[in-house]
Amino acid sequence: QQQVKQSPQSLIVQKGGISIINCAYENTAFDYFPWYQQFPGKGPALLIAIRPDVSEKKEGRFTISFNKSAKQFSLHIMDSQPGDSATYFCAAIDSNSGYALNFGKGTSLLVTP
Amino acid sequence: ETGVTQSPTHLIKTRGQQVTLRCSSQSGHNTVSWYQQALGQGPQFIFQYYREEENGRGNFPPRFSGLQFPNYSSELNVNALELDDSALYLCASQLGVSSGGEKLFFGSGTQLSVL
């Protein structure tokens, strides 16, 4: 059973545009929500992460918005660049009792020039 | 680069065979996790090793087994390979188990094809 649902499956954005990827979860025990970026032939690399005590976290062009009551979180990529073209995964974990990251199915992002 | 190295990078096996994948964790990291990533899917947790003991296991059958060595490197063994075992196998390391997924570093994976 997929514990983290991610959408859309694929996304095409023009250079300079905003890319938005959404995730939803059910387990209220989850308390750490990372986003990973994966390029072809590489493993996932941590991009940015948030804990539910804040509603937003920004690092450069990447922002996580977190809605605890709706059990949803999203990744916004501002001023998207062709180099951002990759697959993005959201994930969640209950860090108090869990040891396994629960990943979404991924979003393939293509940023066109 | 994360410092987590996996070998081999690619592997082709036939159904019914056995395979061993290897992982060297980042320097100082004593916890290693293995994930299976099928094509077009997110990684799925297989198991985690901490100080040479299995610390947790996902929903994978017993023919998936592992080892961790005193230098914290790790192996993933899969017996009686099935076609559905074809996937990218990812190793990830971290320092300790209490970090709960924080500072988890993935290797580039081993692409296993089962024919």
Side-chain angles (χ1 to χ4, degrees), chain A residues 24-38:
Chain A
Y25 64 97
E26 287 298 324
N27 188 344
T28 55
F30 287 156
D31 62 351
Y32 179 68
F33 302 88
W35 285 88
Y36 284 84
Q37 179 188 56
Q38 186 175 30

mmCIF file with all atom_site columns, all heavy atoms in Angstrom, chain A residues 24-38:
data_model
loop_
_atom_site.group_PDB
_atom_site.id
_atom_site.type_symbol
_atom_site.label_atom_id
_atom_site.label_alt_id
_atom_site.label_comp_id
_atom_site.label_asym_id
_atom_site.label_entity_id
_atom_site.label_seq_id
_atom_site.pdbx_PDB_ins_code
_atom_site.Cartn_x
_atom_site.Cartn_y
_atom_site.Cartn_z
_atom_site.occupancy
_atom_site.B_iso_or_equiv
_atom_site.pdbx_formal_charge
_atom_site.auth_seq_id
_atom_site.auth_comp_id
_atom_site.auth_asym_id
_atom_site.auth_atom_id
_atom_site.pdbx_PDB_model_num
ATOM 1   N N   . ALA A 1 24 ? 0.646  13.631 -0.736  1.00 0.00 ? 24 ALA A N   1
ATOM 2   C CA  . ALA A 1 24 ? -0.304 13.480 0.347   1.00 0.00 ? 24 ALA A CA  1
ATOM 3   C C   . ALA A 1 24 ? 0.025  12.212 1.122   1.00 0.00 ? 24 ALA A C   1
ATOM 4   O O   . ALA A 1 24 ? 0.559  11.252 0.554   1.00 0.00 ? 24 ALA A O   1
ATOM 5   C CB  . ALA A 1 24 ? -1.722 13.417 -0.195  1.00 0.00 ? 24 ALA A CB  1
ATOM 6   N N   . TYR A 1 25 ? -0.288 12.222 2.413   1.00 0.00 ? 25 TYR A N   1
ATOM 7   C CA  . TYR A 1 25 ? 0.003  11.058 3.250   1.00 0.00 ? 25 TYR A CA  1
ATOM 8   C C   . TYR A 1 25 ? -1.149 10.824 4.198   1.00 0.00 ? 25 TYR A C   1
ATOM 9   O O   . TYR A 1 25 ? -1.992 11.701 4.407   1.00 0.00 ? 25 TYR A O   1
ATOM 10  C CB  . TYR A 1 25 ? 1.316  11.270 4.024   1.00 0.00 ? 25 TYR A CB  1
ATOM 11  C CG  . TYR A 1 25 ? 1.272  12.415 5.015   1.00 0.00 ? 25 TYR A CG  1
ATOM 12  C CD1 . TYR A 1 25 ? 1.005  12.191 6.361   1.00 0.00 ? 25 TYR A CD1 1
ATOM 13  C CD2 . TYR A 1 25 ? 1.476  13.727 4.594   1.00 0.00 ? 25 TYR A CD2 1
ATOM 14  C CE1 . TYR A 1 25 ? 0.953  13.232 7.269   1.00 0.00 ? 25 TYR A CE1 1
ATOM 15  C CE2 . TYR A 1 25 ? 1.422  14.782 5.495   1.00 0.00 ? 25 TYR A CE2 1
ATOM 16  C CZ  . TYR A 1 25 ? 1.159  14.537 6.829   1.00 0.00 ? 25 TYR A CZ  1
ATOM 17  O OH  . TYR A 1 25 ? 1.100  15.580 7.726   1.00 0.00 ? 25 TYR A OH  1
ATOM 18  N N   . GLU A 1 26 ? -1.194 9.646  4.787   1.00 0.00 ? 26 GLU A N   1
ATOM 19  C CA  . GLU A 1 26 ? -2.256 9.303  5.721   1.00 0.00 ? 26 GLU A CA  1
ATOM 20  C C   . GLU A 1 26 ? -1.758 9.127  7.156   1.00 0.00 ? 26 GLU A C   1
ATOM 21  O O   . GLU A 1 26 ? -2.464 9.420  8.107   1.00 0.00 ? 26 GLU A O   1
ATOM 22  C CB  . GLU A 1 26 ? -2.956 8.012  5.271   1.00 0.00 ? 26 GLU A CB  1
ATOM 23  C CG  . GLU A 1 26 ? -3.847 8.182  4.054   1.00 0.00 ? 26 GLU A CG  1
ATOM 24  C CD  . GLU A 1 26 ? -5.000 9.146  4.319   1.00 0.00 ? 26 GLU A CD  1
ATOM 25  O OE1 . GLU A 1 26 ? -5.524 9.145  5.454   1.00 0.00 ? 26 GLU A OE1 1
ATOM 26  O OE2 . GLU A 1 26 ? -5.371 9.919  3.398   1.00 0.00 ? 26 GLU A OE2 1
ATOM 27  N N   . ASN A 1 27 ? -0.527 8.635  7.296   1.00 0.00 ? 27 ASN A N   1
ATOM 28  C CA  . ASN A 1 27 ? -0.011 8.298  8.625   1.00 0.00 ? 27 ASN A CA  1
ATOM 29  C C   . ASN A 1 27 ? 0.371  9.562  9.392   1.00 0.00 ? 27 ASN A C   1
ATOM 30  O O   . ASN A 1 27 ? 1.364  10.221 9.075   1.00 0.00 ? 27 ASN A O   1
ATOM 31  C CB  . ASN A 1 27 ? 1.198  7.366  8.475   1.00 0.00 ? 27 ASN A CB  1
ATOM 32  C CG  . ASN A 1 27 ? 1.692  6.812  9.803   1.00 0.00 ? 27 ASN A CG  1
ATOM 33  O OD1 . ASN A 1 27 ? 1.348  7.319  10.866  1.00 0.00 ? 27 ASN A OD1 1
ATOM 34  N ND2 . ASN A 1 27 ? 2.501  5.772  9.747   1.00 0.00 ? 27 ASN A ND2 1
ATOM 35  N N   . THR A 1 28 ? -0.393 9.900  10.424  1.00 0.00 ? 28 THR A N   1
ATOM 36  C CA  . THR A 1 28 ? -0.136 11.129 11.173  1.00 0.00 ? 28 THR A CA  1
ATOM 37  C C   . THR A 1 28 ? 1.110  11.027 12.040  1.00 0.00 ? 28 THR A C   1
ATOM 38  O O   . THR A 1 28 ? 1.538  12.020 12.635  1.00 0.00 ? 28 THR A O   1
ATOM 39  C CB  . THR A 1 28 ? -1.346 11.479 12.055  1.00 0.00 ? 28 THR A CB  1
ATOM 40  O OG1 . THR A 1 28 ? -1.645 10.356 12.889  1.00 0.00 ? 28 THR A OG1 1
ATOM 41  C CG2 . THR A 1 28 ? -2.560 11.813 11.197  1.00 0.00 ? 28 THR A CG2 1
ATOM 42  N N   . ALA A 1 29 ? 1.690  9.856  12.135  1.00 0.00 ? 29 ALA A N   1
ATOM 43  C CA  . ALA A 1 29 ? 2.933  9.701  12.888  1.00 0.00 ? 29 ALA A CA  1
ATOM 44  C C   . ALA A 1 29 ? 4.157  10.154 12.090  1.00 0.00 ? 29 ALA A C   1
ATOM 45  O O   . ALA A 1 29 ? 5.233  10.346 12.651  1.00 0.00 ? 29 ALA A O   1
ATOM 46  C CB  . ALA A 1 29 ? 3.116  8.246  13.312  1.00 0.00 ? 29 ALA A CB  1
ATOM 47  N N   . PHE A 1 30 ? 3.986  10.338 10.798  1.00 0.00 ? 30 PHE A N   1
ATOM 48  C CA  . PHE A 1 30 ? 5.114  10.814 9.978   1.00 0.00 ? 30 PHE A CA  1
ATOM 49  C C   . PHE A 1 30 ? 5.530  12.190 10.479  1.00 0.00 ? 30 PHE A C   1
ATOM 50  O O   . PHE A 1 30 ? 4.699  13.079 10.677  1.00 0.00 ? 30 PHE A O   1
ATOM 51  C CB  . PHE A 1 30 ? 4.729  10.903 8.509   1.00 0.00 ? 30 PHE A CB  1
ATOM 52  C CG  . PHE A 1 30 ? 4.589  9.568  7.819   1.00 0.00 ? 30 PHE A CG  1
ATOM 53  C CD1 . PHE A 1 30 ? 3.792  9.451  6.685   1.00 0.00 ? 30 PHE A CD1 1
ATOM 54  C CD2 . PHE A 1 30 ? 5.257  8.443  8.264   1.00 0.00 ? 30 PHE A CD2 1
ATOM 55  C CE1 . PHE A 1 30 ? 3.652  8.233  6.022   1.00 0.00 ? 30 PHE A CE1 1
ATOM 56  C CE2 . PHE A 1 30 ? 5.123  7.224  7.617   1.00 0.00 ? 30 PHE A CE2 1
ATOM 57  C CZ  . PHE A 1 30 ? 4.313  7.123  6.503   1.00 0.00 ? 30 PHE A CZ  1
ATOM 58  N N   . ASP A 1 31 ? 6.835  12.378 10.669  1.00 0.00 ? 31 ASP A N   1
ATOM 59  C CA  . ASP A 1 31 ? 7.294  13.662 11.186  1.00 0.00 ? 31 ASP A CA  1
ATOM 60  C C   . ASP A 1 31 ? 8.525  14.197 10.470  1.00 0.00 ? 31 ASP A C   1
ATOM 61  O O   . ASP A 1 31 ? 9.174  15.138 10.945  1.00 0.00 ? 31 ASP A O   1
ATOM 62  C CB  . ASP A 1 31 ? 7.576  13.546 12.698  1.00 0.00 ? 31 ASP A CB  1
ATOM 63  C CG  . ASP A 1 31 ? 8.679  12.542 12.992  1.00 0.00 ? 31 ASP A CG  1
ATOM 64  O OD1 . ASP A 1 31 ? 9.108  11.813 12.071  1.00 0.00 ? 31 ASP A OD1 1
ATOM 65  O OD2 . ASP A 1 31 ? 9.100  12.485 14.164  1.00 0.00 ? 31 ASP A OD2 1
ATOM 66  N N   . TYR A 1 32 ? 8.864  13.611 9.357   1.00 0.00 ? 32 TYR A N   1
ATOM 67  C CA  . TYR A 1 32 ? 9.998  14.104 8.568   1.00 0.00 ? 32 TYR A CA  1
ATOM 68  C C   . TYR A 1 32 ? 9.672  13.849 7.113   1.00 0.00 ? 32 TYR A C   1
ATOM 69  O O   . TYR A 1 32 ? 9.328  12.713 6.739   1.00 0.00 ? 32 TYR A O   1
ATOM 70  C CB  . TYR A 1 32 ? 11.284 13.388 8.988   1.00 0.00 ? 32 TYR A CB  1
ATOM 71  C CG  . TYR A 1 32 ? 12.520 13.795 8.215   1.00 0.00 ? 32 TYR A CG  1
ATOM 72  C CD1 . TYR A 1 32 ? 13.067 15.068 8.356   1.00 0.00 ? 32 TYR A CD1 1
ATOM 73  C CD2 . TYR A 1 32 ? 13.134 12.908 7.331   1.00 0.00 ? 32 TYR A CD2 1
ATOM 74  C CE1 . TYR A 1 32 ? 14.201 15.435 7.644   1.00 0.00 ? 32 TYR A CE1 1
ATOM 75  C CE2 . TYR A 1 32 ? 14.255 13.268 6.620   1.00 0.00 ? 32 TYR A CE2 1
ATOM 76  C CZ  . TYR A 1 32 ? 14.799 14.538 6.779   1.00 0.00 ? 32 TYR A CZ  1
ATOM 77  O OH  . TYR A 1 32 ? 15.913 14.901 6.072   1.00 0.00 ? 32 TYR A OH  1
ATOM 78  N N   . PHE A 1 33 ? 9.747  14.930 6.310   1.00 0.00 ? 33 PHE A N   1
ATOM 79  C CA  . PHE A 1 33 ? 9.283  14.861 4.930   1.00 0.00 ? 33 PHE A CA  1
ATOM 80  C C   . PHE A 1 33 ? 10.372 15.404 4.009   1.00 0.00 ? 33 PHE A C   1
ATOM 81  O O   . PHE A 1 33 ? 10.476 16.611 3.775   1.00 0.00 ? 33 PHE A O   1
ATOM 82  C CB  . PHE A 1 33 ? 7.994  15.673 4.769   1.00 0.00 ? 33 PHE A CB  1
ATOM 83  C CG  . PHE A 1 33 ? 6.882  15.206 5.673   1.00 0.00 ? 33 PHE A CG  1
ATOM 84  C CD1 . PHE A 1 33 ? 6.759  15.708 6.967   1.00 0.00 ? 33 PHE A CD1 1
ATOM 85  C CD2 . PHE A 1 33 ? 5.959  14.270 5.232   1.00 0.00 ? 33 PHE A CD2 1
ATOM 86  C CE1 . PHE A 1 33 ? 5.744  15.285 7.812   1.00 0.00 ? 33 PHE A CE1 1
ATOM 87  C CE2 . PHE A 1 33 ? 4.934  13.836 6.068   1.00 0.00 ? 33 PHE A CE2 1
ATOM 88  C CZ  . PHE A 1 33 ? 4.830  14.338 7.351   1.00 0.00 ? 33 PHE A CZ  1
ATOM 89  N N   . PRO A 1 34 ? 11.188 14.515 3.449   1.00 0.00 ? 34 PRO A N   1
ATOM 90  C CA  . PRO A 1 34 ? 12.242 14.965 2.527   1.00 0.00 ? 34 PRO A CA  1
ATOM 91  C C   . PRO A 1 34 ? 11.792 14.875 1.067   1.00 0.00 ? 34 PRO A C   1
ATOM 92  O O   . PRO A 1 34 ? 10.893 14.108 0.717   1.00 0.00 ? 34 PRO A O   1
ATOM 93  C CB  . PRO A 1 34 ? 13.364 13.963 2.795   1.00 0.00 ? 34 PRO A CB  1
ATOM 94  C CG  . PRO A 1 34 ? 12.659 12.707 3.184   1.00 0.00 ? 34 PRO A CG  1
ATOM 95  C CD  . PRO A 1 34 ? 11.359 13.125 3.843   1.00 0.00 ? 34 PRO A CD  1
ATOM 96  N N   . TRP A 1 35 ? 12.438 15.660 0.253   1.00 0.00 ? 35 TRP A N   1
ATOM 97  C CA  . TRP A 1 35 ? 12.305 15.555 -1.193  1.00 0.00 ? 35 TRP A CA  1
ATOM 98  C C   . TRP A 1 35 ? 13.660 15.147 -1.763  1.00 0.00 ? 35 TRP A C   1
ATOM 99  O O   . TRP A 1 35 ? 14.697 15.677 -1.352  1.00 0.00 ? 35 TRP A O   1
ATOM 100 C CB  . TRP A 1 35 ? 11.891 16.888 -1.811  1.00 0.00 ? 35 TRP A CB  1
ATOM 101 C CG  . TRP A 1 35 ? 10.445 17.216 -1.579  1.00 0.00 ? 35 TRP A CG  1
ATOM 102 C CD1 . TRP A 1 35 ? 9.901  17.874 -0.526  1.00 0.00 ? 35 TRP A CD1 1
ATOM 103 C CD2 . TRP A 1 35 ? 9.359  16.907 -2.463  1.00 0.00 ? 35 TRP A CD2 1
ATOM 104 N NE1 . TRP A 1 35 ? 8.546  17.976 -0.684  1.00 0.00 ? 35 TRP A NE1 1
ATOM 105 C CE2 . TRP A 1 35 ? 8.192  17.399 -1.867  1.00 0.00 ? 35 TRP A CE2 1
ATOM 106 C CE3 . TRP A 1 35 ? 9.266  16.266 -3.707  1.00 0.00 ? 35 TRP A CE3 1
ATOM 107 C CZ2 . TRP A 1 35 ? 6.926  17.277 -2.459  1.00 0.00 ? 35 TRP A CZ2 1
ATOM 108 C CZ3 . TRP A 1 35 ? 8.025  16.145 -4.296  1.00 0.00 ? 35 TRP A CZ3 1
ATOM 109 C CH2 . TRP A 1 35 ? 6.873  16.642 -3.671  1.00 0.00 ? 35 TRP A CH2 1
ATOM 110 N N   . TYR A 1 36 ? 13.609 14.205 -2.700  1.00 0.00 ? 36 TYR A N   1
ATOM 111 C CA  . TYR A 1 36 ? 14.823 13.728 -3.345  1.00 0.00 ? 36 TYR A CA  1
ATOM 112 C C   . TYR A 1 36 ? 14.771 14.033 -4.845  1.00 0.00 ? 36 TYR A C   1
ATOM 113 O O   . TYR A 1 36 ? 13.709 14.008 -5.463  1.00 0.00 ? 36 TYR A O   1
ATOM 114 C CB  . TYR A 1 36 ? 14.999 12.219 -3.141  1.00 0.00 ? 36 TYR A CB  1
ATOM 115 C CG  . TYR A 1 36 ? 15.466 11.855 -1.761  1.00 0.00 ? 36 TYR A CG  1
ATOM 116 C CD1 . TYR A 1 36 ? 14.575 11.719 -0.707  1.00 0.00 ? 36 TYR A CD1 1
ATOM 117 C CD2 . TYR A 1 36 ? 16.815 11.635 -1.515  1.00 0.00 ? 36 TYR A CD2 1
ATOM 118 C CE1 . TYR A 1 36 ? 15.017 11.388 0.563   1.00 0.00 ? 36 TYR A CE1 1
ATOM 119 C CE2 . TYR A 1 36 ? 17.267 11.295 -0.248  1.00 0.00 ? 36 TYR A CE2 1
ATOM 120 C CZ  . TYR A 1 36 ? 16.356 11.180 0.775   1.00 0.00 ? 36 TYR A CZ  1
ATOM 121 O OH  . TYR A 1 36 ? 16.805 10.843 2.030   1.00 0.00 ? 36 TYR A OH  1
ATOM 122 N N   . GLN A 1 37 ? 15.950 14.285 -5.389  1.00 0.00 ? 37 GLN A N   1
ATOM 123 C CA  . GLN A 1 37 ? 16.112 14.532 -6.822  1.00 0.00 ? 37 GLN A CA  1
ATOM 124 C C   . GLN A 1 37 ? 16.966 13.393 -7.373  1.00 0.00 ? 37 GLN A C   1
ATOM 125 O O   . GLN A 1 37 ? 18.015 13.059 -6.800  1.00 0.00 ? 37 GLN A O   1
ATOM 126 C CB  . GLN A 1 37 ? 16.819 15.875 -7.027  1.00 0.00 ? 37 GLN A CB  1
ATOM 127 C CG  . GLN A 1 37 ? 17.082 16.260 -8.467  1.00 0.00 ? 37 GLN A CG  1
ATOM 128 C CD  . GLN A 1 37 ? 17.949 17.517 -8.540  1.00 0.00 ? 37 GLN A CD  1
ATOM 129 O OE1 . GLN A 1 37 ? 19.044 17.578 -7.985  1.00 0.00 ? 37 GLN A OE1 1
ATOM 130 N NE2 . GLN A 1 37 ? 17.463 18.551 -9.207  1.00 0.00 ? 37 GLN A NE2 1
ATOM 131 N N   . GLN A 1 38 ? 16.520 12.821 -8.484  1.00 0.00 ? 38 GLN A N   1
ATOM 132 C CA  . GLN A 1 38 ? 17.268 11.708 -9.063  1.00 0.00 ? 38 GLN A CA  1
ATOM 133 C C   . GLN A 1 38 ? 17.486 11.938 -10.555 1.00 0.00 ? 38 GLN A C   1
ATOM 134 O O   . GLN A 1 38 ? 16.526 12.112 -11.306 1.00 0.00 ? 38 GLN A O   1
ATOM 135 C CB  . GLN A 1 38 ? 16.542 10.382 -8.843  1.00 0.00 ? 38 GLN A CB  1
ATOM 136 C CG  . GLN A 1 38 ? 17.342 9.159  -9.305  1.00 0.00 ? 38 GLN A CG  1
ATOM 137 C CD  . GLN A 1 38 ? 16.638 7.844  -8.971  1.00 0.00 ? 38 GLN A CD  1
ATOM 138 O OE1 . GLN A 1 38 ? 15.416 7.775  -8.923  1.00 0.00 ? 38 GLN A OE1 1
ATOM 139 N NE2 . GLN A 1 38 ? 17.426 6.793  -8.755  1.00 0.00 ? 38 GLN A NE2 1
#
